Amino acid sequence: MANRNDIEAGSAALRPEEIGVNPPADPPEEPASFAFDAESEAVIERTLKKYPPSRKASAVLPLLYVVQNQMRRQTGSAWVPRVAMDVVAARLDMAPIRVYEVATFYFMFNMAPIGRYHLQICGTTPCWLRGSDEVTRACRDETGIKGWKETSADGMFTMTEVECLGACVNAPILQVDDDYYEDLDYDRTRALLEALRRGERPPPGSAIGRITSAPEGGPNTLLPLP
Ligand code: FES
């Protein structure tokens, strides 16, 4: 039986020199300052109510997410600058290094600017068996991107490989920003990216009309008795 390396040799697999690094080797250009806007402050107020004041450091993950979303709104690129991590540290009475440790551990936080759309391709076994290599090939063909963590020349797309997204039942999965697109193949993926490029946002979910995680073709259990 062919192993993954055998199969990847003729597929969309990326060579080691094509694989990017995270965090990036070169520090990105930082904004001079960062301050939460009104929309972020409203989210932070709701978030901090979930934790006792003496445990507010537990809110570090949601606040980093607030930073990333604000950067997306303000700059079109969802990432977490170091100055913003310092602001989070001050808000939560944490040492900045503790915030840096968390932000750089979880790869859902981008440590450098990314494209307008973040294409996160699941390459874990169920998605791979169901055609994630074809999703990767379609993303590469449509965007011109060669390697992971790379941004397309037009600044529209950044492509990242991720591990299981917890939606294996509708594999293969492409996560675009926070949305899951499911049951993809080469053509469906290219059509999705073409729509994004036109400024459209197709509804997330199954590309074949599957209802939640029902079997393809409709339910085949718990049917009415004949
Ligand atoms: S393996 Fe891709 S979502 Fe689980």
Side-chain angles (χ1 to χ4, degrees), residues 27-57:
E29 191 172 328
E30 284 275 329
S33 62
F34 178 90
F36 289 117
D37 63 12
E39 185 172 337
S40 293
E41 289 289 0
V43 177
I44 292 169
E45 186 181 348
R46 288 197 301 274
T47 301
L48 290 180
K49 285 180 180 161
K50 299 176 184 173
Y51 306 95
S54 62
R55 296 285 185 271
K56 63 181 176 181

Side-chain angles (χ1 to χ4, degrees), residues 122 124-127 164-168 171 173:
C122 177
T124 304
T125 309
C127 279
C164 180
L165 293 167
C168 328
I173 309 295

Side-chain angles (χ1 to χ4, degrees), residues 72-144:
R72 188 203 320 268
R73 285 197 306 277
Q74 293 182 334
T75 71
S77 176
W79 70 293
V80 181
R82 191 190 53 76
V83 288
M85 290 190 269
D86 292 342
V87 170
V88 170
R91 180 65 65 94
L92 299 178
D93 293 332
M94 298 173 70
I97 184 64
R98 302 297 303 276
V99 180
Y100 305 163
E101 287 168 350
V102 172
T104 55
F105 179 80
Y106 293 101
F107 64 64
M108 62 278 286
F109 296 120
N110 303 309
M111 295 291 98
I114 62 169
R116 180 169 164 197
Y117 299 107
H118 192 187
L119 309 177
Q120 297 151 89
I121 303 169
C122 177
T124 304
T125 309
C127 279
W128 170 63
L129 288 169
R130 292 269 298 171
S132 64
D133 281 352
E134 285 299 284
V135 175
T136 303
R137 188 167 69 87
C139 289
R140 297 176 75 177
D141 291 349
E142 184 64 32
T143 65

Side-chain angles (χ1 to χ4, degrees), residues 165-176:
L165 293 167
C168 328
V169 69
N170 290 359
I173 309 295
L174 169 63
Q175 182 180 349
V176 180

Side-chain angles (χ1 to χ4, degrees), residues 12-21 118-119 121 136 139-141 143-152 157-161:
L14 300 170
R15 296 187 300 274
E17 63 271 24
E18 295 176 315
I19 298 173
V21 291
H118 192 187
L119 309 177
I121 303 169
T136 303
C139 289
R140 297 176 75 177
D141 291 349
T143 65
I145 291 172
K146 296 283 184 281
W148 301 121
K149 302 299 291 183
E150 196 178 301
T151 298
S152 57
F157 301 100
T158 297
M159 188 176 80
T160 305
E161 184 180 42

